[in-house]
Amino acid sequence: MKHALIASALTLALASPAWASEDITVGFAIAKSGWMEAYDTPAAAAAKIRIDEINANGGLLGQQVKWVETDTKTDRAQSAKAGLQVLDDGADMMVVSCDYDFGAPAALAAEAEGKNSFFLCAEDVKAGIQGVGPNSFSGSVLAAVQGATMAEWSTHQRDAKTGYVLLDTTIEYNKGICTGFDWMFPKAGGDIVGRDTFKNNDASIASQISRIKALPQEPDVIMLCSYIPGAAAAVRQLRAAGIQSMILNGSAVDGSYWLDAVPDLSGFVLPVQGSIYGDDPRAEVERFNTAYEAATGARPASQYAYPGYVLIDLWAKAVARAGTVEGSAVTAELEKMQNEATTFGPRSFSDTLHHQNSANMQIIEISGATPAVVDNWTISEPVPLDVLLK
């Protein structure tokens, strides 16, 4: 009997690698340390929730989906090494950092092997065909769409006629927001009456505020293209100077964690892919928020968890339709997706753009320091590729 058990155990041990090789493997080459960790970890947690759901429903192509993970340490050189590591660990598809600059080195390693890569939440057009190659995609909505959404929504829903553009030139994401606003605001009937720039770590924007106050009339809206902490500092100074214009921004400022820096803030509006505040009109979004809390111990701190869930959902659908995880075959199926249903709204890809150049966005307004959904908006036309590439 003892010999039979040993023989049986040996048989299982020898068989295990063959069974493991039948699994489908997703490789996460993401930041688990450094400043990018705050963006990558929530989105990766959401991606793993969708993987668990897929496995609970029988897997993908009759196989279970497992994942391997390596820390890029928010370092570009380490990103390339992390990409190679997860490929060595058997990754069939690679998930990379939210930011294009930090995710691209890993994504390029996947591209070299003919495998698909998905940026967790990059919103720069280069995170895809234009910067990595034909098998690379992003799970998020382009920054230019966020700016265009704010432009069209404010003119149509709040009768904005004049706008002032205040651009934080620190990162490309900010420039993308302003690019979308600059494109849509005049088309929607608005007039951009001035523009200025600053840096995220500037201690003061007093000179910029002086130029706004020197205008014949206060602008209806200020398009602030920035992220925390610079965005919070700019808003605090604008309000302290008595400027009451509605302030618009992109999704990067989603979350209530920064509002203590601007007491009693009102008249601040941003677009998001879904609401973390329990008031999203789509019941499935709140179901995800609850599932995320059960998995991680806390609700999402911002909308940047959501693209991780979306990317696994879309990739898995494409794999099922292709009948394989082979990169070019999956890419072909992803590029056929037009208004593909997801928990956070329809998504589309094409053979020229692996991003969302239009999306239904929930409109969050902060009033009395309390964020809440006040509307939803889809821009009347997608942002053209030539605008995205400016």
Side-chain angles (χ1 to χ4, degrees):
M1 184 65 174
K2 182 177 179 182
H3 292 299
L5 288 173
I6 293 172
S8 175
L10 182 58
T11 300
L12 286 171
L14 291 172
S16 292
W19 295 345
S21 69
E22 293 176 0
D23 289 333
I24 293 173
T25 302
V26 175
F28 288 87
I30 61 171
K32 299 176 70 178
S33 56
W35 69 266
M36 278 298 300
E37 185 272 338
Y39 293 91
D40 287 6
T41 293
K48 292 165 189 173
I49 289 171
R50 186 68 189 117
I51 289 172
D52 288 344
E53 292 173 349
I54 290 168
N55 286 336
N57 285 305
L60 186 57
L61 302 181
Q63 302 165 1
Q64 291 288 286
V65 181
K66 68 176 185 178
W67 53 269
V68 295
E69 189 171 69
T70 302
D71 186 7
T72 66
K73 303 178 182 178
T74 312
D75 179 85
R76 296 177 193 183
Q78 190 62 36
S79 174
K81 294 176 183 177
L84 293 172
Q85 182 61 59
V86 296
L87 289 172
D88 286 345
D89 291 340
D92 297 299
M93 185 272 271
M94 192 184 301
V95 177
V96 304
S97 278
C98 274
D99 182 75
Y100 167 72
D101 290 326
F102 290 94
L108 286 165
E111 191 68 39
E113 295 296 321
K115 296 182 185 293
N116 293 113
S117 65
F118 262 93
F119 287 79
L120 280 168
C121 54
E123 296 167 350
D124 182 333
V125 70
K126 294 190 294 296
I129 299 172
Q130 285 74 19
V132 175
N135 295 310
S136 185
F137 296 78
S138 177
S140 200
V141 175
L142 284 162
V145 174
Q146 299 165 30
T149 298
M150 287 290 84
E152 193 170 58
W153 178 83
S154 64
T155 55
H156 285 65
Q157 300 299 93
R158 296 297 173 88
D159 199 31
K161 298 290 194 298
T162 58
Y164 194 95
V165 176
L166 188 55
L167 168 64
D168 171 359
T169 59
T170 308
I171 60 174
E172 291 299 313
Y173 165 80
N174 300 337
K175 298 173 187 177
I177 302 171
C178 279
T179 293
F181 184 86
D182 287 343
W183 170 72
M184 179 59 84
F185 197 67
K187 287 170 68 68
D191 180 24
I192 296 175
V193 296
R195 61 181 65 247
D196 218 326
T197 63
F198 71 106
K199 292 283 190 182
N200 197 267
N201 60 358
D202 284 350
S204 170
I205 58 165
S207 58
Q208 293 89 336
I209 287 172
S210 294
R211 287 188 281 272
I212 295 172
K213 291 178 74 70
L215 293 169
Q217 191 170 12
E218 189 173 276
D220 295 327
V221 295
I222 294 174
M223 184 70 244
L224 175 62
C225 306
S226 187
Y227 62 99
I228 305 299
V235 172
R236 183 175 62 250
Q237 293 174 68
L238 287 164
R239 288 292 187 251
I243 295 172
Q244 295 304 309
S245 305
M246 176 174 285
I247 302 174
L248 313 173
N249 210 320
S251 303
V253 294
D254 186 31
S256 59
Y257 60 93
W258 60 274
L259 293 180
D260 287 346
V262 192
D264 301 318
L265 176 63
S266 291
F268 187 94
V269 185
L270 63 144
V272 294
Q273 294 170 53
S275 174
I276 64 173
Y277 305 107
D279 58 353
D280 197 291
R282 301 161 296 183
E284 58 268 33
V285 173
E286 187 54 26
R287 282 196 294 270
F288 170 82
N289 290 337
T290 302
Y292 185 92
E293 183 175 16
T296 68
R299 289 172 64 86
S302 83
Q303 64 114 50
Y304 280 101
Y306 301 150
Y309 188 89
V310 170
L311 76 86
I312 293 294
D313 187 43
L314 295 175
W315 171 77
K317 288 177 180 177
V319 168
R321 293 167 190 174
T324 178
V325 294
E326 193 274 321
S328 61
V330 175
T331 291
E333 293 299 327
L334 285 164
E335 289 178 346
K336 293 175 186 176
M337 291 181 174
Q338 294 298 308
N339 294 317
E340 187 77 30
T342 80
T343 294
F344 302 97
R347 297 291 183 261
S348 303
F349 297 115
S350 72
D351 61 1
T352 58
L353 187 64
H354 289 177
H355 271 274
Q356 305 309 304
N357 61 349
S358 178
N360 181 254
M361 305 293 283
Q362 301 302 307
I363 307 301
I364 302 289
E365 182 168 8
I366 298 172
S367 296
T370 302
V373 174
V374 294
D375 205 348
N376 70 86
W377 197 262
T378 303
I379 51 178
S380 57
E381 60 181 289
V383 183
L385 189 57
D386 63 332
V387 173
L388 295 173
L389 293 173
K390 281 185 179 178

